[in-house]
Amino acid sequence: MRLLQLAFVVSVLFGLVAILIYIIGVSDLYETHRLTEEDEEALHSLRTGFQKCVAANGLGLKAALGKDYCQVTMQFPADTIPKWKDTKTGELEGLSYEFNLCEAVATWEQVRNSTTILTREFIDSLPNGWEDYAWRRINKGDRLNRCKNKTLCVEKLSLVLPETPPYVPRMFRRCAVIGNSGDLLKTRFGKEIDGYDAVIRENGAPIQNYTDYVGKKCTFRLLNRGSAKALDKVVELDESRKEVLIIKTTIHDAMNQMIREIPIKNHVYLLLGASFGSAAKGTGLKALEFGLSICDSVDMYGFTVDPGYKEWTRYFSEARQGHTPLHGRAYYQMMECLGLIKIHSPLRADPNRVVQWVPERSLVTAARIASEKLLRRVGAGYVDPLRMCSIVKKQIKLKLTSFLSLRRAAIDHQKYVKSATMYPLERSPRHGMLCTV
Ligand SMILES: *[C@@H]1O[C@H](CO)[C@@H](O)[C@H](O)[C@H]1NC(C)=O
Ligand SMILES: *[C@@H]1O[C@H](CO)[C@@H](O)[C@H](O)[C@H]1NC(C)=O
Ligand SMILES: *[C@@H]1O[C@H](CO)[C@@H](O)[C@H](O)[C@H]1NC(C)=O
C-alpha cells in the first residue's frame, strides 16, 4: 500500500515537473522576443546617431524621430521644389518620407548573408518550387500550366539556371554600383570606379566614349525587362564579353534564342531578392541588394542624389521619365547612415570623404538583433547562424565554387554559416529564409 502511495506521489511529481518544463519552455520562447536593456540601448543609439548622420551628410535632409523605436521621417528643406509628378494622380512628390529603421536594418543585414542568384537547388528545395515559383519566372508562364510538363520548364530555364550559387557572401572586397544619371558627366569618376574589385552597371549603360566619367570596368550588369529583351544590343556594349548578365525579371523565349543563336557566351543568371515593400523596386536598389550580397562594401555612383533636381536625364541619352527622385534620395541617405553604402556624387566627389556618424559594425549588429525581436522575425533572439531558416534542405552536392580561391573574409563567413546557403523567400512575412546545408 505504502509503495503504491509512493508511486502515486512520484508520478504526480513527474507530471508537475513536465508541466513546469513546458511552461518554462514556452515562456522562454516568449523571452526571446523580449527586448533587454541592451537591445533598447542599441536601438536608441542607432536612432540618435542616425539623426546626426543625416544632418551631417544629407545635404539639407533632416531626420525627425518618431514616437516608437523605429520610425524616422526624412524631411527635405521647406524650400525644396519637387519636380516629379505621379503619372497616375498628377500629384507632385512630397518633401517628407517615413521609414522604419528597424525594418531596414533587419532586412538589409540579412541581405549581406544571402544568395541572390536563382539556382536549380533553390527551386528544387522550395515546396512546390516548380509549380508555384519557377513557371512565374518564365515569360508566358501562365501557358506553362504550372510546369505540369517539368521537362519543358527545365528546358526553358536551363540556360540561366546554375545548379548551385556561383557567388558567395563577401566574395569581393570593394564594389561599386553605377547608376545611369546624367549627373555622372559632372565629375570624372572613371579612374576611381575602375579601382573597385567589382563594378555593377545597369541596363544599356554604355562605357565606350564615356570612360573618363564612368570607367571601363564592368563585372556585372543588371537588366530589367526591356534590356533583357534586347540582350543582343546589351552584349555589344561589352567588348570583353565577360560581363555577367543578371536579369531582374523573367526569362523569355526570345532571350533564350539569342543566347543560343548569337551565341551569347556571357553568364546569364536570374535575380532573387528580399522584399523591401514599395520602397525598393527600381533597378538601382536591386543592384545595391545584389552588391551587398557578394561584397564587403558597396559604393554608389550615378544616382540622382544631390539637391537641385530638375529633370532626370541619362548620361548617354535624352531626358527620360525618371521616377520618385526625392523618395529615392531619402532612401539612399538612410542606407548610407545605416552603414550599408557610401554615396558618391558631384557634391560628394572627394573619394576620401568620411561619412560622419556612420554606426560602428557592433552597434549595427546589436540594433539588428533588437529589431529582429521587435519585428518577430523568424529565429529572433537565438544565436545559431541558421536560426533564420524557415525551410532547411540538404545540399544535393558540394558547392561548385572553389573555396581555395576565395578571399579570407568569404571563407570565414562560410565557416560561420557552416557552409549553408541562405536564400531570401520573397513573400515570407517574417523574412524566414530557405537554407541548404
Ligand atoms: C514535355 O516537354 C518536352 C520538351 O519540350 C516534350 O518533348 C514532351 O513531349 C512534353 N511532354 C508532354 C507530356 O507534353
Ligand atoms: C562612340 O562614338 C562613336 C563616334 O561618334 C560612335 O560611332 C559610337 O557609336 C559611340 N559608341 C557608343 C557606345 O555610344
Ligand atoms: C551574417 O554573417 C556574419 C558572419 O559573416 C555574422 O557576424 C552576422 O551576424 C550575420 N548576420 C545575420 C543577419 O545573420
Side-chain angles (χ1 to χ4, degrees), residues 178 184-185 187-195 199 201 205-218 221 237 239 243 301 315-316:
I178 320 296
L184 275 170
L185 299 179
T187 325
R188 291 173 190 271
F189 279 129
K191 267 216 183 88
E192 194 177 312
I193 290 173
D194 285 339
V199 176
R201 296 183 195 268
I207 291 170
Q208 196 187 46
N209 302 347
Y210 298 100
T211 53
D212 280 357
Y213 301 97
V214 307
K216 288 194 194 79
K217 190 170 195 161
C218 183
R221 194 181 279 272
L237 298 169
E239 285 166 12
E243 282 176 13
Y301 294 81
Y315 71 84
F316 53 90

Side-chain angles (χ1 to χ4, degrees), residues 149-152 155:
N149 183 347
K150 187 173 157 188
T151 323
L152 183 63
E155 206 171 78

